[in-house]
């Protein structure tokens, strides 16, 4: 099955979503639509075909990081580096172990790259919820920033090249 993301709407049903991380489940159920309405984040969902039952999601918002945090090669010579925060990424536990987390990440990175083509942005930033999540992002080309192994970044150019190669 090929999963496609779509913007979160009120008819989507996150009530049964369970990624095994309560804070991620609760954010989707209680905060995602609020963040969308207030223009602080955009959430995209995977839903079961023919229904609105959510089985995966990611949220994206603009961000910036300081040059000192990411180093010179990622900063492009500016002191404040514009980018996008992949604020949330979660897959229902019933879909774990099938390689779909990587597919969801590619879907999210693709959305971010598209946004950067319209509005700019040099980096993609993730704040991993734990070491396991940090390892997941690192295995997909993200690198930890200085002094915070749970905050990882990827240059937009690297993301574009990765998407073009797949």
């Amino acid at each position: 099955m090929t999963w496609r993301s779509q913007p979160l709407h009120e008819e989507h049903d996150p009530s049964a979503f369970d990624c095994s991380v309560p804070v991620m489940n609760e954010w989707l159920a209680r905060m995602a639509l609020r963040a969308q309405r207030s223009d602080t984040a955009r959430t995209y969902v995977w839903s079961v075909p023919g229904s609105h039952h959510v089985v995966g999601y990611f949220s994206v918002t603009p961000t910036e990081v300081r040059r000192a945090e990411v180093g010179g090669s990622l900063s492009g010579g500016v002191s404040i580096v514009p980018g996008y925060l992949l604020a949330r990424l979660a897959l229902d536990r019933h879909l774990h172990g099938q390689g779909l987390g990587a597919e969801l990440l590619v879907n999210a990175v693709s959305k971010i790259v598209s946004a950067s083509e319209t509005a700019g942005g040099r980096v993609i930033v993730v704040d991993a919820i734990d070491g396991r999540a940090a390892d997941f992002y690192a295995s997909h080309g993200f690198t930890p920033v200085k002094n915070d192994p749970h905050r990882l970044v990827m240059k937009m150019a690297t993301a574009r090249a990765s998407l073009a190669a797949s």
Side-chain angles (χ1 to χ4, degrees):
M1 169 180 290
T2 300
W3 295 93
R4 292 197 178 116
S5 64
Q6 54 189 302
L8 176 67
H9 292 289
E10 289 167 7
E11 64 267 10
H12 286 116
D13 179 12
S15 63
F17 181 83
D18 181 9
C19 68
S20 300
V21 180
V23 68
M24 298 292 278
N25 299 336
E26 290 173 26
W27 191 87
L28 175 63
R30 297 178 189 204
M31 300 302 296
L33 273 173
R34 184 184 308 176
Q36 196 130 301
R37 287 185 199 115
S38 66
D39 288 329
T40 59
R42 291 288 178 252
T43 298
Y44 297 86
V45 298
W46 282 0
S47 58
V48 174
S51 81
H52 294 292
H53 175 72
V54 175
V55 295
Y57 79 97
F58 60 89
S59 294
V60 177
T61 190
T63 195
E64 59 186 31
V65 292
R66 300 205 177 280
R67 178 184 183 151
E69 189 177 5
V70 296
S73 66
L74 284 172
S75 73
V78 297
S79 58
I80 304 294
V81 185
Y84 295 87
L85 176 66
L86 177 52
R88 306 264 192 246
L89 183 122
L91 189 65
D92 191 277
R93 64 185 174 84
H94 293 100
L95 297 177
H96 289 184
Q98 300 176 43
L100 294 173
E103 190 175 324
L104 185 61
L105 178 59
V106 167
N107 191 187
V109 167
S110 178
K111 289 279 186 204
I112 292 168
V113 166
S114 291
S116 77
E117 290 168 359
T118 300
R122 183 158 177 84
V123 294
I124 302 171
V125 180
V126 295
D127 289 318
I129 197 162
D130 57 25
R132 186 169 161 235
D135 291 345
F136 168 78
Y137 290 114
S139 74
H140 291 284
F142 286 82
T143 57
V145 302
K146 297 176 183 177
N147 303 320
D148 187 350
H150 288 164
R151 177 164 258 214
L152 299 95
V153 295
M154 177 185 284
K155 278 175 73 171
M156 201 66 68
T158 301
R160 274 191 203 97
S162 175
L163 291 171
S166 38

